[in-house]
Amino acid sequence: MDSNEAIAPRLFTMASVTDDPIVGIDLGTTHSLVAFCGEEGPRILGNDDLVPSVVRLGVDGAVGESARANAVLFPERTIHSSKRLLGRTFAEVEAESGRFGFSIVAGHQGLAAIQGPDGQVVTPEEIAAKVLGVLRERAEADLGVPVGRAVVTVPAWFDDAQRQSVRDAGRLAGLDIVRLVNEPTAAALAYGLGKNAGTVLVFDLGGGTFDASVLQLVGSEEERFFRVLATKGDTQLGGDDLDAIVMDHVTGLIEERFGSVTFPPAARQALRLFAESARIRLSAEDAASIQLDLGEGRVFQETLTREWFESQATPVVQRAVACAKEAVRDAGVDPANIDRVIMVGGTTRTPLVRNLVADAFQTEPYVALDPDRVVALGASVQAAILAGTNPGLLLLDVIPLSLGLETRGGGVAKLIMRNSAVPARATEMFSTSEDGQVNIALRVLQGEREMAQDCRLLADFELSGLPPMPAGIPQVEVEFLVDADGILSVRAVERRSGKRASVQVAARHGLSRAEVDRMEEESLTFAKSDMHLHRVADLVVQAGLDAKWTREAMGRVADLEPKYREELERHLSTIADFVAQGQHDPASVDVHKFAEARESLDQNAMRLHELAIAASLRDESAGD
Ligand code: ADP
Ligand code: MG
């Protein structure tokens, strides 16, 4: 046996694409996804796209986006939301059959089945198999090998019949489902929650369903697993209900303006898509406008505000929050003792949902991983564990690479140094370098190099809506916080205006041990030249500001002696030369001389600044 193997930490054993990979699949009601977890951690396969869980019955048998996009044209043969029918009898689903645009009948042994317009009867397992088949093709195209095995997720409350249905669908699709994993468990696996996670609430608000699950990590060091302490849900609560709010409002306004209008099914379907896209826009913007051509010269136009939407949506979201609280109570846990909340499902992108959940459980929910992808990512982590390969997450007690922020000029201000123990926290003050800046771009970086372009960009966000202030006046406090699970939260607040913004990232995702080693090595190789570039970049920014302030002061002092003015001009021109050289050929700059030039401008301008202050005091008293 290779002696290296014996001492290699178990976590870092190789996990490339094997001949027989196991993929992770989230078979969702609205969307489905396939992921694979290699050495760099889990990733979504096939362009990162969500596959709509929609199948068109008929000869062409479109699946996914093309089936969804043309649903308006083929309402009776476009099968959506069929996960709701899996493993259930017709009697069980009869009451809700009105929600589907196609007809549901009693099939074999009274099980719910779907009847197409040509009379054909298909089972929900066959529909699911079509979706699984598309996911499998995507996985094969992406990985470049045949894919025959998968871990598939199911809601925690799925009973044996429903689970068996998913297995059957896998068999029809030619996939060996090696394990079914509960969706909330998969979400927790994706975050790589460790033994410090405590009690975890998974809040899953999807397209049409809501699930809340309370998990606890149990077991020994070798074999840890999540126990589902309680689960509660609402099968009729999700993004669809929020769409309905917008639709009802819009149809109400249309009738007010144009009198009663009857909508044919295709128009209703189109209106629903309009409503959904407006609602999704309101997650990022304060207002969204809708324009609908109703024919006969009638054009409906309306702008919806986020404020209006939130006031209408609050009762719906509160239903989900109340349901989550019940799950927590059922688990025998005090809501104040929930340690982590993980957000799952596309609808949790709605800011209102995040805010109400944060309020209810007094903790900032985890949103670092995309809520519509986190379940698939977690399924692939489970797959990697079953395959005996590296789950891909660097579960470390220390921060493997430094974390920082890009500064003006392209340097990196490191806030948390590598090898800091988790949890770790650091704050730093920043300001602007231009007058009247109303937006500040914040770029969060990881790595050991001195310049931003040589580090890994983890996230970027913007602090916006600042009142215009002169350069250097805003006080932006930036806080970096890495919690015990390795989740990085970055918060920025401008103290004078109170404006704030934040972002959350799973900093160890997409990072392999080899990558960490490479970045560390490079930082040593380039240490000297990097340091040089960083100092030049900082000097360019600082000297530029110095020069600007000097010129402003010169403008304020009307009666400056010509000789002194000349002297200042000479210094300014030296500085301008250094700045230009620093911008165009930083490697050639003599940092020492540059710093000296800056220093001597500083010395020389001291008297000027005193004169300028005196001048402005004079102006002020003259104005009285
Ligand atoms: P499911 O698990 O039921 O398949 P998903 O997790 O895919 O559902 O969630 C789909 C829902 O997420 C849809 O209702 C969609 O409108 C909603 N959604 C997607 N993106 C956003 C967004 N940015 N803001 C609000 N809702 C969103
Ligand atoms: Mg889901």
Side-chain angles (χ1 to χ4, degrees):
M1 178 179 166
D2 189 314
S3 63
N4 281 332
E5 208 182 306
I7 56 162
R10 204 168 55 100
L11 234 54
F12 306 136
T13 48
M14 283 302 292
S16 52
V17 179
T18 61
D19 294 338
D20 189 13
I22 310 179
V23 295
I25 290 178
D26 171 10
L27 186 64
T29 311
T30 322
H31 296 114
S32 297
L33 285 158
V34 57
F36 179 73
C37 179
E39 205 200 342
E40 288 177 5
R43 70 177 176 96
I44 301 294
L45 299 178
N47 267 338
D48 203 33
D49 286 341
L50 304 171
V51 178
S53 307
V54 180
V55 173
R56 181 157 73 235
L57 298 180
V59 273
D60 68 341
V63 179
E65 190 49 45
S66 61
R68 194 195 74 103
N70 293 310
V72 177
L73 302 175
F74 308 100
E76 290 150 356
R77 51 173 81 240
T78 303
I79 314 304
H80 61 87
S81 307
S82 59
K83 185 177 177 180
R84 290 175 177 277
L85 306 176
L86 279 175
R88 306 184 69 196
T89 63
F90 176 69
E92 283 171 324
V93 299
E94 201 176 357
E96 53 185 282
S97 61
R99 281 177 70 114
F100 301 87
F102 46 87
S103 60
I104 296 168
V105 294
H108 180 62
Q109 294 187 330
L111 288 169
I114 296 145
Q115 182 151 38
D118 318 321
Q120 76 273 49
V121 173
V122 292
T123 64
E125 289 81 3
E126 287 173 289
I127 300 294
K130 288 233 158 57
V131 175
L132 288 173
V134 166
L135 296 173
R136 180 192 175 165
E137 281 167 21
R138 281 185 175 226
E140 291 181 340
D142 191 316
L143 296 173
V145 292
V147 171
R149 297 188 293 168
V151 166
V152 179
T153 58
V154 290
W157 47 265
F158 252 29
D159 64 19
D160 287 342
Q162 289 167 305
R163 285 169 198 258
Q164 190 51 48
S165 280
V166 174
R167 288 185 183 284
D168 291 345
R171 207 162 23 75
L172 288 174
L175 271 177
D176 172 18
I177 297 184
V178 292
R179 180 153 326 163
L180 294 176
V181 180
N182 291 324
E183 287 162 7
T185 302
L189 283 170
Y191 273 102
L193 297 194
K195 54 184 182 297
N196 302 322
T199 311
V200 181
L201 167 68
V202 179
F203 189 97
D204 181 350
L205 191 60
T209 59
F210 173 67
D211 291 313
S213 314
V214 183
L215 310 180
Q216 203 160 42
L217 191 65
V218 292
S220 62
E221 199 66 35
E222 280 72 45
E223 174 107 35
R224 280 202 224 110
F225 59 96
F226 287 98
R227 176 179 293 153
V228 180
L229 297 181
T231 172
K232 195 138 205 119
D234 188 329
T235 54
Q236 313 290 342
L237 178 61
D240 296 350
D241 297 276
L242 302 180
D243 295 343
I245 290 173
V246 176
M247 270 179 70
D248 290 349
H249 179 65
V250 167
T251 42
L253 288 174
I254 289 176
E255 295 198 342
E256 233 171 67
R257 285 182 212 171
F258 304 108
S260 157
V261 179
T262 47
F263 292 100
R268 267 202 88 71
Q269 180 70 273
L271 185 57
R272 204 193 69 75
L273 293 178
F274 263 110
E276 182 180 12
S277 82
R279 176 175 67 76
I280 287 176
R281 261 180 288 146
L282 287 175
S283 290
E285 277 150 49
D286 290 335
S289 53
I290 291 190
Q291 191 168 330
L292 286 172
D293 188 347
L294 301 169
E296 296 162 30
R298 297 170 306 179
V299 175
F300 172 80
Q301 215 254 310
E302 180 71 18
T303 299
L304 306 174
T305 65
R306 189 193 286 185
E307 202 184 340
W308 167 82
F309 173 70
E310 293 194 338
S311 70
Q312 303 298 303
T314 296
V316 175
V317 179
Q318 288 294 16
R319 262 168 65 205
V321 170
C323 187
K325 281 193 170 154
E326 272 179 54
V328 171
R329 262 196 299 277
D330 287 355
V333 178
D334 187 323
N337 290 338
I338 288 292
D339 299 292
R340 304 269 188 271
V341 178
I342 298 181
M343 290 300 219
V344 179
T347 311
T348 63
R349 288 235 190 79
T350 315
L352 176 72
V353 175
R354 293 181 173 182
N355 294 339
L356 293 180
V357 170
D359 287 349
F361 298 99
Q362 289 302 303
T363 176
E364 203 58 47
Y366 273 3
V367 295
L369 299 178
D370 189 339
D372 14 54
R373 292 172 173 79
V374 61
V375 167
L377 294 172
S380 76
V381 170
Q382 177 68 69
I385 294 170
L386 290 175
T389 51
N390 170 14
L393 295 173
L394 295 169
L395 294 174
L396 300 175
D397 298 332
V398 297
I399 288 161
L401 292 169
S402 301
L403 299 165
L405 213 57
E406 178 171 342
T407 53
R408 174 57 61 109
V412 182
K414 298 205 170 95
L415 274 89
I416 296 182
M417 303 307 281
R418 60 181 284 259
N419 288 337
S420 307
V422 291
R425 181 177 172 274
T427 60
E428 184 93 66
M429 295 298 297
F430 293 89
S431 194
T432 50
S433 54
E434 265 169 46
D435 288 341
Q437 226 176 298
V438 291
N439 294 324
I440 299 178
L442 295 124
R443 290 162 56 84
V444 182
L445 300 159
Q446 179 177 49
E448 301 317 307
R449 301 285 297 273
E450 291 291 322
M451 301 303 286
Q453 64 188 43
D454 300 313
C455 290
R456 199 160 86 104
L457 178 66
L458 288 182
D460 55 359
F461 66 113
E462 205 170 77
L463 185 59
S464 57
L466 302 180
M469 287 182 264
I473 295 300
Q475 297 184 345
V476 182
E477 182 181 275
V478 178
E479 178 194 48
F480 274 44
L481 184 78
V482 180
D483 73 9
D485 298 317
I487 304 301
L488 166 66
S489 301
V490 179
R491 296 194 188 96
V493 52
E494 200 288 305
R495 285 214 188 133
R496 293 177 196 272
S497 59
K499 291 282 175 192
R500 43 184 76 240
S502 62
V503 75
Q504 206 184 64
V505 262
R508 59 173 185 234
H509 269 247
L511 204 61
S512 66
R513 185 73 239 175
E515 180 83 349
V516 172
D517 291 345
R518 185 186 63 78
M519 292 177 91
E520 221 173 80
E521 221 176 277
E522 277 184 7
S523 79
L524 294 175
T525 314
F526 297 107
K528 233 175 131 183
S529 60
D530 269 10
M531 194 59 84
H532 175 85
L533 292 177
H534 192 168
R535 287 215 54 201
V536 173
D538 286 353
L539 276 170
V540 165
V541 173
Q542 289 154 358
L545 275 177
D546 290 347
K548 173 175 171 290
W549 286 327
T550 305
R551 290 212 175 278
E552 282 168 4
M554 285 165 81
R556 274 204 299 276
V557 185
D559 51 353
L560 206 58
E561 316 88 272
K563 213 173 144 239
Y564 184 35
R565 183 179 291 275
E566 246 171 61
E567 203 179 323
L568 287 167
E569 289 289 359
R570 215 173 37 248
H571 281 287
L572 284 172
S573 120
T574 311
I575 287 290
D577 288 346
F578 273 117
V579 167
Q581 191 188 354
Q583 280 167 337
H584 299 114
D585 187 12
S588 72
V589 174
D590 182 332
V591 171
H592 191 67
K593 290 215 173 105
F594 193 169
E596 251 175 27
R598 192 183 161 220
E599 183 72 15
S600 73
L601 170 69
D602 216 37
Q603 289 286 332
N604 260 275
M606 209 129 52
R607 195 162 69 84
L608 169 71
H609 289 300
E610 275 163 22
L611 290 172
I613 290 168
S616 58
L617 285 178
R618 251 196 332 269
D619 290 353
E620 249 167 58
S621 56
D624 283 346

